[in-house]
Amino acid sequence: MSDTLDPTRCPLCGQSNRCTQADPERQGESCWCFEARVDPAALERISPEQRNRTCLCPRCAANLPPEND
């Protein structure tokens, strides 16, 4: 994982986090995470430097294992 913070990428898996707050074309829309239950264990896996600065993707927020691509 890169040391550079990308607010459009999940800090755990590096995939798109689908965050509407980080997408200038979708400003004003509510993000999927506003209504989702985020697993506390997933939040604990985010480094302190990245907490409250980038969003998890839906898969990591649910603390599901990564998909095999």
Side-chain angles (χ1 to χ4, degrees), residues 36-51:
R37 181 188 177 284
V38 177
D39 188 315
L43 294 174
E44 289 297 318
R45 294 174 46 215
I46 302 172
S47 72
E49 298 81 25
Q50 293 177 320
R51 287 188 188 153

Side-chain angles (χ1 to χ4, degrees), residues 7-36:
T8 67
R9 299 279 167 197
C10 175
L12 300 180
C13 72
Q15 298 299 311
S16 171
N17 57 22
R18 299 191 286 173
C19 178
T20 60
Q21 304 298 294
D23 185 347
E25 294 180 15
R26 298 178 70 188
Q27 284 185 348
E29 291 181 36
S30 292
C31 191
W32 65 268
C33 71
F34 292 0
E35 301 295 323

